[in-house]
Structure formats: C-alpha cells, structure tokens
Amino acid sequence: METTNHLIYLASGAYQNSFARVYLARFGDRVTYRDIRTEVGLVNKDNSLQVDIPRLEHELTDFMAGWDTAVAAEVAILRDLPVACVISDISAIGIQVGERLGVRNIGIANFTWCEQYEFLGLSETLIARFREVYAKLDLLIEYDLMLPAPKLPVPRKQIGFICRRFDPDRIAAIKQQYGPSIFITCGKSADLNNIQIDNYDGTIFTTSGINIIATGNATVVQLPVETFDTHNYLAASDTVIAKAGWGTISEALLSKRNLVLIEREGVLEDTENIEELKRRGVAVSIKETDLARIDMHAIRELVDEKIVTENLDKFENAVEEVVRILKSNNHA
C-alpha cells in the first residue's frame, strides 16, 4: 500500500478485518473489505492451548463442505475487476478463487495446514483436499522457520522474518511511562483462567484473553484489543513470554528481546519453532503447566544461561524483500 497505488480487496475473518479497517484507515477507499471465514486453523480445548482434535475435524468437515459456495461468491464479486493476483496466507479459499479467476496465485506462509493436520493424525481424506488446493499455487514465499512441505510441488522463494516497523520514539515513550517491563501474550486463541507472576516488580503488559495475578509490587497493564501498536509495547519490554506463533516470534527476534516460548504438545508448528530457535540460541521455553506460576527469577537465570544475545544481530526485517517479490510477480 505504501509503495504502489494498487487497490486491495481484503477477504478475511470479521475479527481480523475489524482491526484492519482501523489500522489501514489512512489508505482510504483503496481497500475493500470482505468478511468471510477463510480457514478453521486449530481449535483449542476450553481454557487450554491444547488442540481439541474431535472438534477440529468436525469444524473442518463443515468448513470444507462450504468451499464451493464461498469460492463462487468471491468469484462473482471479483470476476469483473482488474485483479492482478491473489495473495494468500495460506487459505484454501483464496487459492481456489485465484485459480477460478485465472490470475497469478501467490502463497506466503511459514507452514501449510497439511503438515499441521498430518501431525495431529487427522483424516487423510481431509489432508489430501488441502494438498490438492495448495498444488495450484504459482509461487510459495516461505518465511524463516517454514515447516518442511516436501509433498508440495510448487515454485518457492525463501525469505527471512518480517513484521511491522518499530517506532523508536514510541518505544522510548513507553519505557519512560512504564519503566522496566515484560510482555505476555498467548495469541487471539487463548482463554486461560489465571497466570501468576512471582518475583517481578516492574510492569507486566498482557493481551486479550489472559488474566494475570502478580505478587509483589508489579503493575499489570492489559492492552485493549484496539491497541494497534502492540509490537512497540513488545519491543519496549525486556522479556517476551508467548505462544510460539510465527508473528510474535518474528516481532521478538527483530526487536532483539529475550524470548520465552510456551510449549504446546501436539502442535507441530510450535514444537518445530521452539526446537529450532533453541538450537540457534535465541529463545528458551517453558511448559504450558508452568503458566500457573511463573517465577521471573528462574526465567532470568534460564535466559542468561541459554540465550546468546549476539545471535539476535543476524535477524533483519525482510518486508522490503517481500514487496520486491510481489511486485515482480505482479508484472510477470
């Protein structure tokens, strides 16, 4: 949006688009928003980060039964517009729309759902349908930490990490206002009852879905859902404790924070991300059960022992490289 005069048709979930409508407001009518369900993703058990496999299979079956209808509705809207390409992360709906429109189909992701669902032992029939759709991609842009997808025979381009640009002035202002801080997030899928933080006297920033109980003199600041620069709060914090999702990892590494990741048994992406980042010496991990009581003294000792600060200097924001790739492919 910043480097071209392109119009964008943004098809996403209602929750995500409600954020985008405000975040992208400065681009005015260059963005058209369409609220649809683009994927199921993973379905968690109540008050847990663990995947509820029976519910997931049920929701996937229902979702896939509506693919044809959803795709036809999108094509009816887009077929008379000058669509240059469809970019998808990594929705089977978007890819099928691109195929029906006969335009260039670009995926951008750090995994496909095939590997995730295969790891969980879901029905091979479901997985085969996703694999069939992904094979229609003209290009897959792979972020750093991409899960191996050897069964996907499409052209690929590997890049590094990307995230929103940090605002040094905003980060300095947050530090001045709140002093030393830590940042705790479990993503938008989290709904945990309580997380207790011991042996910490600074500010604890948290995101939606998390209830923090702090002992001592700590101050808890819950960032509202409409906080549009959470990445600046993260970058202002000394330590980030987070679910091992790619977006938060990327923000933490590019802002060179101490990263503590929460292990989730049964989630391939999280497990692979954690093991690789620990191998690189840029993150440590705790178990989900440890969230009941987090001792920050113990966390600091773990970070000091395992994280090699110099290794964080290797990471640079690859967002400009992504823009270059997309521009060159739009002109192909």
Side-chain angles (χ1 to χ4, degrees), residues 140-188:
L140 176 60
I141 301 173
E142 299 183 345
Y143 292 129
D144 197 340
L145 300 181
M146 175 75 185
L147 290 179
K151 299 176 184 177
L152 188 57
V154 300
R156 307 184 190 205
K157 175 71 174 178
Q158 295 180 336
I159 61 166
F161 291 101
I162 71 167
C163 74
R164 295 172 288 177
R165 294 183 184 90
F166 299 106
D167 182 340
D169 292 338
R170 177 74 175 129
I171 292 169
I174 292 170
K175 287 182 175 181
Q176 183 175 12
Q177 179 178 356
Y178 293 102
S181 62
I182 61 176
F183 188 95
I184 302 178
T185 179
C186 294
K188 302 302 184 188

Side-chain angles (χ1 to χ4, degrees), residues 202-320:
T203 299
I204 303 170
F205 295 121
T206 75
T207 57
S208 60
I210 307 172
N211 182 38
I212 300 291
I213 300 172
T215 61
N217 297 318
T219 300
V220 178
V221 176
Q222 180 139 4
L223 300 175
V225 173
E226 59 270 18
T227 302
F228 295 106
D229 69 334
T230 53
H231 62 304
N232 287 325
Y233 285 87
L234 180 150
S237 302
D238 302 312
T239 300
V240 177
I241 301 174
K243 184 166 67 74
W246 191 89
T248 305
I249 287 174
S250 188
E251 290 178 350
L253 294 180
L254 292 175
S255 61
K256 308 187 189 313
R257 300 300 88 198
N258 293 320
L259 181 56
V260 181
L261 295 171
I262 303 164
E263 300 172 11
R264 285 200 295 170
E265 294 181 9
V267 179
L268 180 62
E269 179 196 7
D270 292 28
T271 302
E272 293 288 327
N273 287 348
I274 289 170
E275 290 307 310
E276 176 59 21
L277 294 176
K278 288 167 73 171
R279 187 191 68 79
R280 298 186 195 182
V282 294
V284 298
S285 68
I286 59 176
K287 298 185 181 302
E288 185 184 350
T289 52
D290 295 332
L291 293 176
R293 180 181 177 275
I294 297 176
D295 183 342
M296 288 306 297
H297 280 337
I299 292 292
R300 280 191 288 269
E301 290 178 355
L302 185 62
V303 164
D304 290 343
E305 178 186 357
K306 299 292 186 181
I307 292 183
V308 182
T309 305
E310 294 78 12
N311 290 356
L312 292 167
D313 294 333
K314 301 174 183 177
F315 301 114
E316 295 182 359
N317 197 340
V319 66
E320 292 180 0

Side-chain angles (χ1 to χ4, degrees), residues 75-108:
V75 170
I77 296 171
L78 294 169
R79 62 188 169 200
D80 295 326
L81 300 177
V83 178
C85 71
V86 171
I87 303 167
S88 175
D89 171 31
I90 176 109
S91 167
I93 300 290
I95 297 169
Q96 291 176 87
V97 169
E99 182 198 26
R100 288 276 300 276
L101 292 174
V103 300
R104 192 155 180 80
N105 236 330
I106 300 174
I108 182 165

Side-chain angles (χ1 to χ4, degrees), residues 8-12 31-36 68-83 86 93 97 100-101:
I8 300 293
Y9 177 91
L10 184 54
S12 192
V31 186
T32 299
Y33 301 91
R34 168 81 165 164
D35 296 344
I36 65 169
D68 289 346
T69 301
V71 170
E74 293 304 293
V75 170
I77 296 171
L78 294 169
R79 62 188 169 200
D80 295 326
L81 300 177
V83 178
V86 171
I93 300 290
V97 169
R100 288 276 300 276
L101 292 174

Side-chain angles (χ1 to χ4, degrees), residues 101-136:
L101 292 174
V103 300
R104 192 155 180 80
N105 236 330
I106 300 174
I108 182 165
N110 65 303
F111 65 83
T112 78
W113 288 113
C114 294
E115 295 77 51
Q116 297 265 50
Y117 293 156
E118 204 166 41
F119 183 76
L120 291 169
L122 268 59
S123 160
E124 181 55 38
T125 303
L126 295 178
I127 296 168
R129 282 286 290 117
F130 275 91
R131 190 169 285 123
E132 177 185 335
V133 171
Y134 291 145
K136 302 177 188 300

